[in-house]
Amino acid sequence: MRLSKLFGKTLRQTPSEAENVSHQLLLKAGMIHQLAAGIYSYLPLGWRALRKIENIIREEMNAIGGQELMMPVLQPLEMWEETERDLAFGKGLFTLSDRRDRKLILGPTHEEVMTQLVRRNVQSYRDLPLFLYQIQTKFRDEPRPRGGLLRVREFTMKDLYTFDADEEAMDVSYHKVIGAYQRIYECCGLPSMVVEADSGAIGGKDSHEFMVITESGEDQVIYCSKCDYSANVDKAESVKLPGEEEKPLPVEEIATPGIKTIEALTNFLGIPRKKTIKAVFYVADGEMVFVAIRGDLEVNEVKLKNALNCHELRLASDEEVAEAGLVAGSASLAGVTGVKSVADPSITLGVNLVAGANKPDTHLKNVNYPRDFEVDLMTDIAIAQAGEGCPRCGGELQSTRGIEVGHVFKLGTFFSERLGATYVDQSGVERPIYMGCYGIGTGRLLAAAIEQNHDEKGIIWPIPIAPYHVHLCPLSPDNEQVVSAAEKLYLQLEEQGLEVLFDDRIESPGVKLNDADLLGMPLRLILSPRTLSTGSVEIKERREKEATLVPWEEIEGRLKAILSL
RNA sequence: CGGGGCGUAGCGCAGUCUGGUAGCGCGCAGCGUUCGGGACGCUGAGGUCGGAGGUUCAAAUCCUCUCGCCCCGACCA
């Protein structure tokens, strides 16, 4: 490709809306263009990189027996009502009506469509296992798109669905896919980490995410420094230290004028946070829920949502709290009735805790569970924090940030039972199919690859996903020998199957060299009167600092060796 | 949805407080000089100042409403 003809210009200044590196570089290099919040066009260079990623994914999917197919974006809303996932996705679903006023949605994922499709085509155990995938556009009305390609509303995703006869077979398929995913990330220049995950709106039991560890990631990852335990913070469990052994004392009312927060309370009384019980009020699908947790911990809303098995969970407003007869700032479960209550087991680890007295400016000392109050539900709803104990080995948990570049789920029979996807086993018994689903967002993967592979000058493409292999850059555009040598080399390399970006523009050396660094092709070739006089060409790997001169006749071999072609 | 910031030429910005009819740098076009790390000179094109309404002799600037974008949080396969 001749750079003079390439659609998409590089920018000297970084557009101000971009904050993270991949977004800045993609815009600056002219690889993407924003149409609206979370909606982007891919320009030729960006599109080439994206297609390379798709092809890597295809190869790995095919290698584990995947068959590619294509399902529709437009889906009847009815189908989603059958599984009640319209409620689970809520406002994230893009909905529309056709001319006959039938409700349709733009598919955010394809479990329903896929299950229906398989129902018609699988009848016997002989048809299983089955791996079906597509690479297709998804639509999700995210509350807040961000970070360029990191979180968008319209995006391309590879989604794979596996179908097996039973749970054991499903597990085998699950691990096959995990292996394929790891090879994909490695190929894209991304060290990834497999972490336990919440299964969210997809449903199902086991779920893992693939994380690329980077500060710009929006997910928090908890991992153990000793064993291999790691989990998304949404899912992570932890072991809290018990409080000191003390003799339970009788409950005592104390005056706490103007004290409304844990912070103020601990300062006022001179006690540590973990000697207090924090009260938080939520509204779950319209119902008020009283949540109690030890003062040093925070509520994990994903865990709480799962525990309550609700679709919508939000903090209650001050008005709602007052209406329910609760005293914000001094509320506790000791003495409150008629409100649904959930508590974290952390409150059972201490003795003689301080909690609200359910009247203003008053707290209770020496509150003990279960002596002084009861709860409807006692379950882990705490956010795991660095420094706490590992649930597996007791080691110390650490925390870091990551970009979720893939997510896999064991769906079990959730969809097959609801949508009637069954098969007949060897003994003639009809059984539900065991499913798994697996997704990789290709655009996010592209962005993550840049987050991990760049320097202050620009992108450093990993070879397998680089838009072109070689950036051919003749300097001295008015030197005829240089120009004709470059033209010749360009044709010769293309003929050999190398993908060449040929900077045939009449620009100063500075502009060309800077653009070469910004665009980030793995190899840069420079021709100039200087190199020509020695009968050689300068080769530089984008990743390396030093360039080397290579004799004309050895260029091709050297390039292929570096590219492993 | 809560908090913050911002919409003026393709990109980066000034001008807004204090109203007087739009400017700078980069980029773009033409000519000439230059050519191994974002060269220089001359000439030129390009903007209903996000939109609507209002105040005023006069609005990018003041007032009201509205749309959009970014960041933090909530949220989110």
Side-chain angles (χ1 to χ4, degrees), chain A residues 319-338:
Chain A
E319 293 74 38
E320 286 168 325
V321 172
E323 238 170 70
L326 299 167
V327 185
S330 288
S332 86
L333 284 171
V336 161
T337 50

Side-chain angles (χ1 to χ4, degrees), chain A residues 282-285 287 289 291 302-313 340-342 377 379:
Chain A
Y282 283 92
V283 175
D285 290 344
E287 185 189 3
V289 180
V291 176
V302 174
K303 286 184 184 175
L304 180 59
K305 201 170 166 183
N306 289 338
L308 293 167
N309 194 20
C310 64
H311 292 303
E312 202 205 329
L313 180 74
K340 184 168 188 171
S341 58
V342 181
L377 186 60
T379 184

Side-chain angles (χ1 to χ4, degrees), chain A residues 501-522:
Chain A
L501 189 60
F502 178 26
D503 192 350
D504 60 337
R505 299 173 304 171
I506 298 170
E507 286 287 356
S508 70
V511 170
K512 288 189 165 192
L513 294 171
N514 278 300
D515 274 349
D517 287 339
L518 173 61
L519 297 174
M521 302 316 142

Side-chain angles (χ1 to χ4, degrees), chain A residues 187-313:
Chain A
C187 193
C188 293
L190 289 173
S192 71
M193 182 171 176
V194 186
V195 309
E196 291 181 14
D198 178 65
S199 50
I202 296 288
K205 20 178 161 170
D206 279 1
S207 175
H208 290 87
E209 287 169 336
F210 295 79
M211 292 287 183
V212 170
I213 301 307
T214 161
E215 269 313 299
S216 59
E218 30 174 6
D219 289 288
Q220 199 189 338
V221 177
I222 298 288
Y223 64 97
C224 177
S225 47
K226 275 198 190 144
C227 72
D228 63 357
Y229 178 75
S230 60
N232 188 307
V233 71
D234 292 344
K235 171 82 176 179
E237 303 159 43
S238 64
V239 177
K240 277 98 197 166
L241 292 176
E244 293 86 58
E245 291 281 323
E246 279 177 47
K247 207 176 148 202
L249 299 171
V251 172
E252 191 184 318
E253 203 172 283
I254 48 174
T256 51
I259 304 292
K260 285 183 183 290
T261 63
I262 293 292
E263 175 84 41
L265 185 65
T266 53
N267 289 339
F268 182 73
L269 296 175
I271 54 169
R273 281 168 174 262
K274 65 180 190 181
K275 291 289 280 183
T276 65
I277 298 178
K278 176 156 61 182
V280 193
F281 313 111
Y282 283 92
V283 175
D285 290 344
E287 185 189 3
M288 174 69 70
V289 180
F290 192 127
V291 176
I293 190 167
R294 209 170 64 189
D296 60 325
L297 302 172
E298 299 293 328
V299 176
N300 180 326
E301 295 187 359
V302 174
K303 286 184 184 175
L304 180 59
K305 201 170 166 183
N306 289 338
L308 293 167
N309 194 20
C310 64
H311 292 303
E312 202 205 329
L313 180 74

Side-chain angles (χ1 to χ4, degrees), chain A residues 17-77:
Chain A
E17 79 253 23
E19 200 127 306
N20 65 22
V21 187
S22 63
H23 191 197
Q24 290 179 345
L25 291 175
L26 282 164
L27 287 172
K28 216 176 160 198
M31 295 184 183
I32 58 169
H33 184 261
Q34 182 180 35
L35 183 62
I39 305 177
Y40 287 86
S41 300
Y42 285 84
L43 277 55
L45 284 181
W47 181 237
R48 276 185 75 99
L50 195 74
R51 272 164 45 211
K52 291 216 168 170
I53 289 172
E54 288 181 4
N55 285 331
I56 289 166
I57 294 173
R58 266 193 190 98
E59 275 178 33
E60 293 296 340
M61 290 298 100
N62 295 344
I64 57 169
Q67 299 182 57
E68 187 171 1
L69 49 68
M70 189 67 162
M71 292 178 280
V73 167
L74 279 174
Q75 305 175 13
L77 176 62

